[in-house]
Amino acid sequence: MMMILYNKKAGELLKANNAGVLRRHKGVKAKRFEPLRDFIIKDLGLTFLDYESAEYCLATDKETEHFGIGTDAYAYASSPLRRYVDLANQRSLKNILNKKVIVTGK
């Protein structure tokens, strides 16, 4: 839970400063599994199979919403030892905080 909160806040800060790499997720994919939709999605309860795949995007992109997390900006930043993108985002966050050029609000 804390990891998701940290990544949401990191994403918001990165987006506000047009820096870093975000993770976007568009949500439900129309007409996927259409022939077996009722069985797979409703009867088996596997609604996640009907979602688009999440993808990386730049903080400067217009569409950065993450449907699965329910936020406008989400960034991988909490595990720089596991993923390189986390390390890159940590460096961007450090630069933002060191310059104290933090943009708040929209």
Side-chain angles (χ1 to χ4, degrees), residues 77-90:
S78 61
S79 185
L81 295 175
R82 282 191 312 155
R83 291 181 294 246
Y84 186 77
V85 71
D86 292 59
L87 180 61
N89 281 336
Q90 286 291 328

Side-chain angles (χ1 to χ4, degrees), residues 2-21:
M2 292 303 291
M3 177 192 71
I4 293 173
L5 176 62
Y6 178 86
N7 287 340
K8 284 171 77 170
K9 294 300 180 184
E12 291 170 5
L13 187 58
L14 290 168
K15 183 169 175 68
N17 287 277
N18 292 319
V21 179

Side-chain angles (χ1 to χ4, degrees), residues 22-70:
L22 302 179
R23 189 94 170 133
R24 74 174 153 216
H25 182 238
K26 295 180 182 177
V28 178
K29 186 175 194 176
K31 298 185 180 183
R32 191 170 183 187
F33 301 114
E34 196 60 43
L36 300 172
R37 182 184 200 91
D38 287 340
F39 175 69
I40 293 174
I41 307 303
K42 294 178 184 170
D43 295 340
L44 295 179
L46 302 174
T47 56
F48 68 91
L49 291 175
D50 211 22
Y51 292 163
E52 290 272 349
S53 296
E55 60 187 5
Y56 291 106
C57 66
L58 296 176
T60 55
D61 289 358
K62 288 187 178 189
E63 292 184 27
T64 60
E65 179 184 5
H66 195 293
F67 174 81
I69 302 292

